Amino acid sequence: MSSLEAGTACGPTPDSSSVNSGLGRIKNWVAIASDWMWDWTPFLLVVTYVFVSICLYLVVTEGALAIFWFICMTSNFYIAGSTVVEAVVALGPVRETRKAVQKAQEKNWVFPTPDDKLLVLDLIIVAYLPNEKDIILDRALYLLDKIVYPKDKIRINVVYNTPKPIEPLETELWNLAAKHANLRVIKVPGSTSKADNLNYFFTLNTGADVIAIYDCDHYPHPYGPRWAIERMISNKKIDIVQGRCVIFNTHESWLASMIAVEFDKIYAVSHPGRAAMWGFGLFTGSNGYWRAPLIREMKMDGDMLTEDIDSALRAVAKNCKTVHDSNVVSYELAPTTWKSFWKQRLRWTQGWTQASIKHIIMTWNKPIDGQRGFVTRFGIFTLLCIREISYYLVSQFTLLVVAIVILRFPDSGTSLAHLLFFTYPVSAWFFIIRYAPASQPSQLTER
């Protein structure tokens, strides 16, 4: 008997269906392992970063600890000081915003520009299905019903991508578009990202003067588009109007309420203050209004993790004028779980680092159009270099403090406070600089 015959006699040969089933299981296991690595590798790297840093500080010399402490304190002091100055400078734009609202109220919300003279607006909702399948129809209905803007001057564009058909939702969207002349529903073929969706839309000749970009979770204020367009009409040099984003699901979790505070600080204070202080503003990804020719020319770079920040910085490179208007309000959702928060901030951190490395050249190079003064260059350096590095220094400073506490474990609350805040003499100087000016008004009052 031949070896082949012997092998056959030992048992039946597996048929093709069982082989395919086995390959399918292997592919499924590989996919699960790949997803696990994708989700957990950043977290494990951060844990490693923390552990290695603390161990390093436990073995370095006292002189090295003192030097690094000084570097951390200096950078933190500079960032804190810049934030305070931005907040003070932001008072000017805040006053102007309130005056504009008061004027509109006195005129019973009749704006300066007649309806027939308003710019034609394309308002885009960018969505990815199935992630946003539960909210996309609601947002489309809201925009059709609530936005106060002439119907013949605005078009609502639902631009989405999906790896598989989502029914009956897609049919409902198409039926809704058939009922409303100013609603377009666009399914982008072959898209895998927000950048792909937007770039596809930018190739369409819609005849719009202005294009507004919104993420799918947003509820623009009914008068938000009107405020933005009025701002653009009032100053033809304005290329981009960036509005204020407000968190509306603060009741859902403590985390969401803290993010709401953060957003108020960023959009109501930091952005307007920085624009006034350094001479440039930033598009932040949503609730932003662009002159249509500009955004069609620039498009979005799909290779960037945060394509919105990249486009904002490319606009700065072209000396485009971006203004922050707190009357252009939009309400959005914040992450309510630590997992979703982690994923969001991880992408933002990586994206900002990537964009900062790409655009830090603006600190010294010649702008594409016009001139770039020293103040603006220093502001760009502060934003893309000092601020970016400071986040890593803050984390290192925290780990340094942990290491110092381990090395010199305190025996009382007083010694702990001294250890945390006054380990080195330089800390006392920063403390005096920080709090001495604040004590002056009270001293003068007492006298």
Side-chain angles (χ1 to χ4, degrees):
M1 181 182 295
S2 68
S3 60
L4 178 59
E5 292 172 334
T8 303
C10 293
T13 303
D15 57 25
S16 59
S17 61
S18 62
V19 172
N20 291 336
S21 176
L23 290 175
R25 286 195 296 270
I26 293 174
K27 290 181 179 179
N28 186 49
W29 293 337
V30 171
I32 292 173
S34 177
D35 291 341
W36 186 91
M37 292 182 64
W38 181 265
D39 288 338
W40 285 96
T41 295
F43 176 76
L44 295 175
L45 288 174
V46 170
V47 171
T48 304
Y49 169 82
V50 169
F51 180 76
V52 172
S53 297
I54 292 176
C55 291
L56 180 64
Y57 292 131
L58 291 175
V59 298
V60 298
T61 64
E62 182 67 22
L65 289 179
I67 292 173
F68 191 72
W69 182 282
F70 177 79
I71 293 172
C72 288
M73 293 293 289
T74 302
S75 67
N76 292 344
F77 178 77
Y78 175 80
I79 294 299
S82 297
T83 302
V84 171
V85 174
E86 287 176 358
V88 173
V89 174
L91 294 176
V94 168
R95 283 194 297 267
E96 294 301 319
T97 297
R98 290 182 174 179
K99 287 181 182 178
V101 172
Q102 290 173 354
K103 288 182 180 179
Q105 288 175 333
E106 292 170 359
K107 296 180 179 180
N108 198 27
W109 297 101
V110 176
F111 288 85
T113 307
D115 287 357
D116 61 340
K117 300 296 183 182
L118 289 173
L119 302 177
V120 177
L121 172 63
D122 267 332
L123 193 153
I124 307 174
I125 312 174
V126 191
Y128 169 71
L129 306 183
N131 287 11
E132 292 160 325
K133 64 182 178 66
D134 295 329
I135 63 174
I136 186 172
L137 186 61
D138 170 74
R139 299 309 192 268
L141 289 169
Y142 170 86
L143 293 172
L144 289 168
D145 184 53
K146 299 297 184 182
I147 297 300
V148 182
Y149 202 85
K151 298 294 183 184
D152 61 332
K153 293 287 187 175
I154 186 173
R155 291 181 289 261
I156 311 301
N157 302 273
V158 178
V159 184
Y160 74 96
N161 65 299
T162 177
K164 60 182 179 180
I166 307 293
E167 294 294 353
L169 175 61
E170 291 188 75
T171 299
E172 292 174 350
L173 286 171
W174 290 107
N175 290 340
L176 187 64
K179 296 177 182 178
H180 298 270
N182 64 330
L183 173 64
R184 293 194 194 97
V185 176
I186 303 171
K187 182 177 182 179
V188 181
S191 171
T192 59
S193 66
K194 176 181 176 180
D196 289 343
N197 290 351
L198 289 172
N199 288 339
Y200 180 84
F201 181 85
F202 296 152
T203 64
L204 305 178
N205 184 14
T206 63
D209 301 306
V210 177
I211 295 177
I213 300 173
Y214 283 91
D215 289 333
C216 190
D217 63 323
H218 277 249
Y219 284 115
H221 187 280
Y223 283 102
R226 185 64 181 252
W227 281 113
I229 298 302
E230 291 286 350
R231 190 73 184 269
M232 285 184 157
I233 291 175
S234 68
N235 187 347
K236 300 261 191 290
K237 294 182 179 180
I238 294 176
D239 299 296
I240 305 165
V241 174
Q242 175 59 52
R244 176 184 176 185
C245 298
V246 178
I247 301 299
F248 73 87
N249 62 327
T250 55
H251 62 283
E252 294 186 11
S253 71
W254 177 84
L255 177 61
S257 63
M258 291 297 99
I259 295 174
V261 175
E262 177 198 28
F263 268 49
D264 277 348
K265 179 264 180 188
I266 292 173
Y267 283 95
V269 178
S270 293
H271 284 324
R274 183 182 57 250
M277 181 177 175
W278 301 116
F280 66 93
L282 292 175
F283 167 64
T284 61
S286 193
N287 194 21
Y289 292 72
W290 292 69
R291 300 277 183 184
L294 174 63
I295 190 60
R296 291 185 190 281
E297 173 195 345
M298 291 183 56
K299 296 184 169 58
M300 296 289 168
D301 187 346
D303 293 329
M304 302 296 290
L305 288 170
T306 48
E307 70 285 333
D308 42 15
I309 298 303
D310 173 69
S311 66
L313 293 172
R314 284 189 286 128
V316 173
K318 290 172 63 69
N319 266 352
C320 297
K321 184 176 180 62
T322 301
V323 297
H324 293 269
D325 194 323
S326 294
N327 286 330
V328 185
V329 176
S330 184
Y331 303 93
E332 67 172 293
L333 293 169
T336 56
T337 65
W338 289 104
K339 182 179 180 181
S340 58
F341 177 74
W342 166 266
K343 288 184 176 181
Q344 179 195 69
R345 296 312 166 101
L346 179 65
R347 186 179 70 85
W348 288 3
T349 300
Q350 294 172 331
W352 262 103
T353 300
Q354 183 187 32
S356 297
I357 293 172
K358 176 181 176 181
H359 294 287
I360 189 63
I361 191 175
M362 284 193 291
T363 301
W364 60 82
N365 75 343
K366 184 178 180 181
I368 298 173
D369 298 311
Q371 300 294 321
R372 184 179 301 134
F374 172 79
V375 172
T376 299
R377 291 178 185 274
F378 192 75
I380 293 170
F381 179 74
T382 297
L383 177 70
L384 302 184
C385 183
I386 299 177
R387 182 197 63 88
E388 194 66 25
I389 293 174
S390 72
Y391 292 133
Y392 299 98
L393 289 178
V394 166
S395 67
Q396 284 294 310
F397 179 72
T398 303
L399 301 176
L400 172 59
V401 170
V402 172
I404 291 175
V405 170
I406 293 174
L407 287 172
R408 315 168 194 170
F409 197 81
D411 55 8
S412 67
T414 302
S415 60
L416 175 62
H418 185 275
L419 189 63
L420 293 179
F421 298 108
F422 302 107
T423 299
Y424 300 101
V426 67
S427 302
W429 283 107
F430 282 120
F431 185 85
I432 293 170
I433 294 172
R434 167 63 181 85
Y435 288 103
S439 66
Q440 296 304 314
S442 61
Q443 293 173 357
L444 291 173
T445 302
E446 291 171 0
R447 291 177 185 175

